[in-house]
Amino acid sequence: MQISSETKELFQYPYIKRLYVARFISNYGNGLSQPALAFGILHLKNGSAAELGWVLATLNISLIVMLPFGGVIADRFSQIKMVGLCDVLGSLGLFVQAGFFATGKVPFVLMLIVNGIFGVFWSIWWPAFVGVMPSLLPEKYLQKGNSINALVSNISMILGAMSSGILLTLFGSAFPLALDAASFFISGLLMLTFSKAKITKMVNQDSTSKENINQPKLSFFAEMKSGWKVFLSFKWIVYVVFGFSAIMMAWAMSESVLGPLVFSKRAHGPLIWSSIILGSETAGFLVGSILAYHIKVKYTMRFLTLITFSLVAYIFSLHWPSWYYLIAIAAFAWGISADLWGSLWTTAMQRTVPREHLSRISSFDGMGTMLFRPLGLTLAAPLTLVFGISGTLNIAAFLVCAMIILILSSREVREMVMPRDD
């Protein structure tokens, strides 16, 4: 990526470099954690795909239930400080979980509790983080700031995913899970060093934000209700969130349960899945973040919805685990699409949603998008007993196709135009 004068100006704003360092550290842990937890559970004496599904579902259920509250909390308090606190506090339970994996005996209830509590912290972190970039940068730099954040995060996730398979092979699950916990702790401490006074001095707030600074605070539930009304007023957001609630379910059941299940009994399966396939997907994230830095698409939501067909190809490719390089190519293509979604969707919301409602709208976005993810995680294993792994993959792929068509049926989605950055 060629560094333009505008990018150099972007890096002059206080704490933006420190933010990217924090995201690099945290996302290295994210790259480690998914395969480490999946194969860690599957390789326990009584571990199973159903147990893995329930652990992941518990995390997602607690996230979904608490997201509307997390959005209000994030809008009421310093979004940057809430991100730091959630990272630090969330890491403590992950350290406990890693310690039990080191013993080889991990109580099922403990995993449910740890991941449930982490989901609560995540429910505050998610909507708070959406408000971090607008707090650090003027509006004209938001797309570039988001894409650089994605680039930095994806490079570290590639390193995490690729090293996860090696660490799993050499040390088992406990060590990469402990590194994941440490990454959250260090990242959170870095975020807590940000000075609100210095940020406010350097970054120009828009007039709407200035006008609302001195307005009286509503009650907690009144703020939640107000955010819900604003969320419903953006029809293109509502349609996409509704469709992606099912798309995320299909992606979760395919990648978090069915994929590890397919490769768990194959020679070098954990290494192939985590390092080659998930590593390729993360490499796609990296390419997507580079494209997001430059890309300008008039009908943004139409474009993003169409490229979601790459997920269908990824899910179908899991039918042929012996051709794992084919799966890696499909995962790479979906990674590009997913990261373009992340960068452009976030930028679109930051430019269209009033700043004082942003975290609450993001929380309803997250709640809707993740709504059926736990269902997919818990149903994946039972569905394989009825339809087999191939049949379950077919169901997931068909569901994604149906949701893409449904989203594109909305005129608001097809005609949504990204606001200008000047």
Side-chain angles (χ1 to χ4, degrees), residues 319-393:
H319 283 293
W320 302 283
S322 297
W323 296 3
Y324 57 85
Y325 285 109
L326 174 66
I327 301 175
I329 292 171
F332 175 75
W334 165 239
I336 295 174
S337 303
D339 199 271
L340 284 171
W341 260 112
S343 296
L344 298 182
W345 174 262
T346 300
T347 302
M349 286 208 302
Q350 289 168 343
R351 288 183 179 167
T352 56
V353 175
R355 188 69 51 81
E356 65 273 13
H357 294 290
L358 184 56
S359 287
R360 275 168 287 168
I361 303 310
S362 177
S363 71
F364 291 123
D365 162 34
M367 181 182 69
T369 301
M370 303 290 283
L371 186 61
F372 296 122
R373 180 179 166 88
L375 185 63
L377 292 169
T378 54
L379 287 181
L383 284 174
T384 61
L385 298 178
V386 178
F387 302 103
I389 294 178
S390 293
T392 306
L393 289 170

Side-chain angles (χ1 to χ4, degrees), residues 4 31 44 63 78 90 95 101 121 126 164 175 177 189 193 198 212 225 229 231 301 310 318 328 333 363 373 402:
S4 64
L44 289 173
L63 166 68
S78 167
F95 275 121
F101 268 100
F121 288 121
W126 184 339
S164 180
F175 185 58
L177 288 174
L189 289 181
T193 64
K198 191 172 182 181
N212 284 278
K225 183 178 179 181
K229 289 182 178 178
F231 173 76
M301 293 303 118
S310 59
L318 293 173
S363 71
R373 180 179 166 88

Side-chain angles (χ1 to χ4, degrees), residues 139 141-147 292-293 295 344 347 351 418:
E139 185 170 311
Y141 293 123
L142 286 179
Q143 181 169 337
K144 285 183 169 57
N146 287 325
S147 63
Y293 183 87
I295 196 168
L344 298 182
T347 302
R351 288 183 179 167
M418 175 75 82

Side-chain angles (χ1 to χ4, degrees), residues 40 44 92-111 114 173-175 177-178:
L44 289 173
L92 302 180
L94 298 182
F95 275 121
V96 172
Q97 180 174 254
F100 273 91
F101 268 100
T103 69
K105 297 179 180 179
V106 190
F108 180 55
V109 173
L110 176 100
M111 289 189 287
V114 167
S173 293
F175 185 58
L177 288 174

